[in-house]
Amino acid sequence: METVTSIVEMKRAAGSLRREGRTVAFVPTMGALHEGHLSLIREADARADVVVVSVFVNPTQFGPGEDFDTYQRDLKRDSELAEAAGCDIMFAPEVDDMYPVGSVTQVCVSGLTGKLCGAVRPGHFDGVCTVVAKLFGIVRPHLAVFGQKDGQQVAVIERMVADLDMSVEIVRSPTIREPDGLAMSSRNANLSGVERRDAAVLFESLKHVVSRYGAGERNVERVVSEMREMIEARETTEIQYITAVDASTLEDVDELGESVMVALAVFVGTTRLIDNVVLGAE
Ligand code: AMP
């Protein structure tokens, strides 16, 4: 595996791969890699000749008071894990190179970004879309793999790619979970013992919806209120939102149905966790 930190060098490598006719799959990450990220890398490896993984803790997608400064950074560990999962090129640019003095352009996907996490993290998706658009321009992948774990993010990226006629296929990869169902996240490491036990209720509540849906329930309000009850019964949890939307358009839905994403954001102690299920897909 090759590690590239220079944008110019990454562009050169991407140009050569294109000229050689090799397909490139791309997995953008912020590092602190875990099984969730590795599953995306394996998926990328199965679909293309060359896998590029980026590790870039993108400052513009963090709000004031969020964990940009304390975000786990360990490129050596990430490189070893990525390589074992099938990464061929690790791209780890510097912040100052990605955002040189004078850069002012932002990619803003309106509508979809004003709800769910976007409603409580203003500017977050502008940061995400801008950096992903830049990374696509540098790496020029044929396809890019994103996790369903961040269900709004992948829907927003799909919209951006369609609206800007970007020639990259977006692949959604399933959420990888701990044995008790908690979605893997670098932020799980911040949970205390009791918080970690309480956090399992997030997926329990989502599984409850899947089973109620399987039994014929279609009423959104009823299942959301049942989820609230389950989550609020745990001592360390505080719900930020629970919602049911179309998994692609993120539009609110009147009824549960195929391709409806039930999504939540919950503080467990001071750690904010998100998770979702897409009905009919689980
Ligand atoms: P991040 O490093 O948190 O920006 O995530 C990079 C990519 O990994 C995104 O596409 C995430 O959706 C994906 N990802 C993070 N956690 C998981 C997980 N538990 N299962 C599947 N994909 C994940």
Side-chain angles (χ1 to χ4, degrees):
M1 187 185 76
E2 200 184 331
T3 299
V4 177
T5 54
S6 145
I7 293 174
V8 174
E9 232 176 85
M10 184 65 238
K11 281 184 170 171
R12 200 178 297 136
S16 307
L17 291 168
R18 285 259 167 184
R19 274 191 302 280
E20 290 161 14
R22 302 172 81 193
T23 52
V24 176
F26 178 43
V27 181
T29 81
M30 297 203 299
L33 300 187
H34 50 65
E35 264 310 308
H37 301 108
L38 302 183
S39 72
L40 308 189
I41 298 172
R42 288 186 200 108
E43 178 74 46
D45 193 29
R47 287 172 177 259
D49 300 327
V50 177
V51 176
V52 179
V53 176
S54 64
V55 168
F56 181 64
V57 186
N58 175 36
T60 66
Q61 70 188 71
F62 287 78
E66 291 185 352
D67 53 353
F68 174 71
D69 290 329
T70 55
Y71 205 87
Q72 206 189 107
R73 291 163 172 88
D74 187 344
L75 190 59
K76 187 171 174 290
R77 175 185 171 277
D78 287 341
S79 299
E80 285 166 7
L81 290 170
E83 181 170 21
C87 171
D88 300 294
I89 302 178
M90 167 67 80
F91 178 47
E94 297 291 337
V95 171
D96 291 348
D97 294 337
M98 285 293 276
Y99 300 110
V101 175
S103 74
V104 291
T105 304
Q106 280 202 319
V107 179
C108 304
V109 175
S110 58
L112 286 76
T113 57
K115 52 206 311 187
L116 287 86
C117 293
V120 285
R121 300 184 73 188
H124 169 69
F125 285 110
D126 298 343
V128 169
C129 290
T130 304
V131 80
V132 170
K134 283 171 67 71
L135 290 167
F136 283 178
I138 295 164
V139 175
R140 292 173 57 206
H142 296 84
L143 63 97
V145 187
F146 288 84
Q148 178 58 40
K149 154 84 174 19
D150 298 274
Q152 181 174 21
Q153 172 171 278
V154 65
V156 168
I157 297 294
E158 284 169 349
R159 189 73 250 167
M160 173 185 81
V161 163
D163 289 353
L164 297 181
D165 303 297
M166 293 175 163
S167 300
V168 51
E169 180 196 348
I170 303 301
V171 176
R172 289 188 187 223
S173 206
T175 303
I176 302 300
R177 302 180 177 281
E178 299 288 354
D180 68 353
L182 177 64
M184 288 197 178
S185 163
S186 52
R187 291 180 173 118
N188 294 350
N190 303 332
L191 300 169
S192 71
V194 61
E195 289 166 356
R196 175 63 190 80
R197 281 192 292 282
D198 283 356
V201 77
L202 272 59
F203 187 56
E204 281 165 25
S205 75
L206 291 166
K207 263 195 319 197
H208 172 74
V209 176
V210 173
S211 115
R212 298 276 281 116
Y213 176 66
E217 177 64 86
R218 295 294 177 264
N219 188 295
V220 173
E221 273 170 34
R222 205 151 41 220
V223 293
V224 167
S225 107
E226 288 164 8
M227 288 175 74
R228 279 190 178 279
E229 213 171 289
M230 291 175 76
I231 295 171
E232 281 167 357
R234 302 293 174 108
E235 202 183 311
T236 63
T237 56
E238 195 183 324
I239 297 166
Q240 193 172 44
Y241 70 74
I242 302 176
T243 190
V245 295
D246 179 275
S248 294
T249 64
L250 303 186
E251 274 167 19
D252 293 330
V253 294
D254 299 331
E255 284 197 332
L256 299 179
E258 298 288 293
S259 305
V260 166
M261 174 171 75
V262 180
L264 53 75
V266 174
F267 278 98
V268 182
T270 55
T271 306
R272 182 176 178 278
L273 300 178
I274 59 171
D275 201 353
N276 68 79
V277 289
V278 178
L279 299 178
E282 304 284 324

